[in-house]
């Protein structure tokens, strides 16, 4: 009698009772023999609603999940007891006709369900695991029974339960059953070590020192595995109390948290057909969200990796309107060409240098992102073509064009000139870079000067005969990168006085900048445009298209969230923006009327960028201004009323 059979759990065993045919339906057919894969198959084909060969049309038809209809349902269906058709425990709406439709032609057997594909089985198991994690165990049982799948191997279920209950001897015995299912012969030893380690720590926390010592000596040590770890574990015997043990072992203590972590580690040694990786569905969804973000050309915000922060019902798409493509502010205080602009490292200030002999420091409003003039630093007779902020933003160094032999070091807080440095009137100091310690900087130019100086302008070191176009100090505090007149970038070590070639181009390198992680270099190459190099592998990664680059010095930059974007000025009066992985520009910003010499992306505000141009202006770029729809409707209604009044 199928109704008398108990329904098995979903975590292990077959969804139908042994010998009960399909999903507990009547008949004397034995379960099919297991193939070479053994019991670790994720889904049992005989349970997908197929009728057993021994069942007859006159017998009651069981529901696919093994549940039989109630008596009231049978009576309400209007069908005869001998041929009842049930759908999810509810009688078919069509009465006898529907029941007849379920019968397989003249043979009277059930119509066979389509066999589940492997991907369908995987999805069902993933959903089941997620529902189980939510505590919806009855739903999981029903899902597994109706589909004919199981979440994991019965031995894995026992193993899981014994681990979570802290029954270590039983869990160790379970390993013997799992041994044929584990691919690596050494995996069982590692799993046993992890089990015994948890057992040992729990004994110690409970104050059972003798039992813990017994585990250490007679169980862990004979495994002859990870003796280094065993020595560490033995040191925990000296812990005076449980808090001390948990702190030194970096362990959550006896209980669900530490045992769940242990299970996660143990699962890595088991095939997924035996036990699913923990939180597999959430991990797959998280990967899908991250992939969509990576493929989104305009994604420029830092989002929480928690799935609760996004909608899984729609694809991730960022609008161009959220990107810094729109002019927010135009700064017109300079009265001549603006050659350079640079945000401070903390993103609170912007420095602009001009042919008008001044450097202007601007303050960034943290709320409105508008800039206001903070200080004007005057006296740069040749104009200002390059600016570098100290790592702590307390100082600023300004350089001039090729014929300038002077360098200015300003105190940004007070606006006072700390040092005006010039080694020789024949020098050309056109570029500067700060050492990461903030106590030194390097400077040089195309006439063969290459100096390292302190904050007072005292010469610490020099490198003879290097015609410098642009400089950058690496984070190691030792290496200085310099582009020279030989169309290359070389690394110079001021400690051991060694140098090496890193980048070789076929055309002059007008300027370059380095990513925060020191891995990538962005070059503006004469007549070629913007090139991206991998400094570690010393290979050209990408050539960006669109920009017009002649022999003017144009400065590009990395920017945006995670430095995913690249921006550059151009001689065609535009600002070009690319996603780092795409050679074609994703935005071309218009507004300037002459060559755009420099762009700078705010390092702390990904949606803020500045550009400096020969037209004498500095433009601030940001997202599209917010437009209140209600405000638009209000203005439209007012306009209609005004028009009607005029009309009548």
């Amino acid at each position: 009698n199928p109704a008398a059979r108990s329904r098995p759990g979903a975590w292990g065993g077959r969804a139908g009772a042994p010998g009960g045919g399909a999903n507990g339906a009547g008949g004397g057919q034995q379960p099919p023999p297991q193939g070479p894969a053994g019991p670790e198959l994720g889904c049992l084909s005989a349970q997908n609603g197929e009728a057993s060969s021994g069942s007859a049309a006159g017998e009651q038809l069981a529901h696919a999940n093994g549940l039989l209809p109630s008596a009231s349902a049978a009576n309400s269906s209007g069908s005869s007891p001998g041929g009842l058709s049930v759908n999810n425990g509810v009688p078919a709406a069509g009465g006898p006709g529907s029941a007849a439709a379920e019968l397989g032609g003249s043979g009277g057997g059930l119509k066979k369900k389509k066999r589940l594909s492997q991907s369908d089985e995987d999805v069902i198991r993933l959903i089941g695991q997620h529902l189980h994690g939510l505590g919806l165990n009855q739903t999981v049982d029903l899902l597994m029974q109706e589909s004919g799948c199981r979440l994991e191997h019965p031995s894995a279920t026992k193993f899981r339960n014994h681990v979570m209950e802290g029954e270590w001897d039983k869990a160790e015995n379970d390993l013997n059953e799992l041994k044929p299912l584990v691919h690596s012969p050494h995996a069982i030893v590692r799993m046993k070590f992890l089990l015994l380690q948890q057992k040992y720590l729990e004994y110690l926390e409970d104050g059972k020192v003798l039992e813990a010592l017994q585990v250490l000596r007679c169980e862990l040590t004979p495994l002859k595995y990870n003796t280094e770890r065993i020595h560490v574990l033995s040191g925990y015997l000296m812990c005076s109390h449980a808090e001390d043990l948990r702190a030194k072992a970096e362990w959550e203590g006896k209980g669900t948290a530490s045992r769940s972590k242990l299970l996660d580690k143990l699962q890595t040694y088991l095939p997924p057909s035996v036990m699913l990786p923990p939180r597999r569905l959430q991990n797959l969804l998280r990967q899908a969200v991250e992939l969509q973000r990576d493929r989104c050309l305009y994604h420029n915000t830092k989002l929480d990796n928690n799935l609760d922060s996004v909608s899984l019902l729609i694809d991730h798409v960022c609008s161009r309107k959220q990107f810094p493509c729109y002019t927010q502010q135009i700064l017109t205080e300079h009265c001549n060409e603006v050659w350079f602009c640079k945000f401070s490292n903390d993103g609170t200030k912007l420095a602009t240098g001009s042919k008008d002999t001044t450097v202007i420091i601007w303050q960034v409003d943290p709320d409105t992102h508008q800039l206001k003039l903070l200080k004007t630093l005057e006296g740069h007779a040749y104009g200002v073509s390059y600016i570098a902020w100290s790592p702590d933003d307390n100082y600023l160094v300004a350089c001039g064009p090729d014929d300038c032999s002077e360098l200015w070091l300003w105190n940004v807080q007070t606006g006072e000139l700390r040092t005006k440095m010039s080694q020789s009137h024949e020098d050309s100091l056109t570029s500067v870079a700060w050492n990461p310690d903030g106590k030194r900087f390097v400077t040089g130019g195309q006439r063969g000067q290459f100096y390292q100086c302190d904050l007072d302008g005292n010469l610490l070191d020099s490198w003879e005969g290097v015609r410098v176009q642009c400089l950058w100090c690496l984070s190691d505090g030792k290496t200085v990168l310099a582009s020279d007149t030989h169309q290359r970038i070389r690394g110079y070590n001021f400690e051991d006085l060694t140098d090496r070639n890193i980048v070789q181009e076929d055309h002059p390198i007008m300027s370059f900048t380095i990513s925060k992680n020191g891995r990538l270099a962005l070059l503006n190459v004469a007549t070629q445009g913007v090139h991206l190099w991998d400094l570690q592998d010393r290979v050209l990664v990408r050539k960006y298209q669109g920009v017009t680059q002649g022999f003017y010095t144009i400065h590009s930059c990395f920017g945006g969230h995670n430095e995913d974007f690249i921006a550059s000025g151009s001689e065609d009066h535009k600002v070009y923006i690319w996603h780092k992985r795409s050679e074609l520009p994703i935005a071309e910003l218009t507004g300037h009327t002459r060559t755009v010499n420099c762009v700078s992306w705010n390092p702390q505000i990904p949606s803020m960028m500045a550009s400096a141009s020969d037209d004498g202006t500095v433009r601030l770029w940001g997202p599209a201004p917010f437009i209140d729809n209600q405000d638009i409707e209000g203005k439209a209604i007012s306009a209609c009323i005004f028009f009607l009044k005029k009309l009548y």
Side-chain angles (χ1 to χ4, degrees), residues 126-199:
L126 292 172
I127 293 172
Q129 184 194 45
H130 184 66
L131 294 176
H132 177 76
L134 297 176
L136 304 176
N137 295 329
Q138 290 184 356
T139 305
V140 177
D141 289 344
L142 188 59
L143 174 63
M144 294 300 112
Q145 198 163 26
E146 189 166 9
S147 66
C149 296
R150 65 181 176 200
L151 285 180
E152 58 187 19
H153 192 278
S155 297
T157 302
K158 284 197 303 177
F159 182 61
R160 176 192 299 277
N161 294 335
H162 290 152
V163 169
M164 292 305 296
E165 291 164 9
E167 298 182 5
W168 306 117
D169 293 338
K170 292 182 180 179
E172 197 173 337
N173 290 333
D174 295 334
L175 286 179
N176 294 326
E177 295 183 28
L178 292 170
K179 192 172 183 179
L181 308 176
V182 178
H183 299 320
S184 170
H186 304 292
I188 293 295
V189 175
R190 294 168 186 162
M191 294 174 74
K192 190 173 182 180
F193 185 90
L194 292 171
L195 279 176
L196 294 174
Q197 177 180 254
Q198 179 80 10
K199 179 180 178 181

Side-chain angles (χ1 to χ4, degrees), residues 377-426:
L377 311 178
E378 300 177 337
H380 308 84
Y382 295 90
V384 179
S385 63
Y386 197 86
I387 295 170
W389 291 87
S390 64
D392 58 8
D393 293 326
N394 288 331
Y395 294 99
L396 182 147
V397 176
C399 300
D402 290 344
D403 50 355
C404 179
S405 62
E406 298 175 329
L407 175 147
W408 292 263
L409 176 60
W410 296 90
N411 185 315
V412 177
Q413 307 300 323
T414 64
E416 296 176 352
L417 181 64
R418 171 159 179 170
T419 303
K420 182 179 180 181
M421 188 193 101
S422 177
Q423 294 295 320
S424 168
H425 291 295
E426 296 180 355

Side-chain angles (χ1 to χ4, degrees), residues 13 78 80 93 114 217 269 290 466 505:
S80 63
K114 182 180 178 182
R217 286 179 176 174
Y269 298 102
E290 290 174 358
V466 181
E505 283 278 2

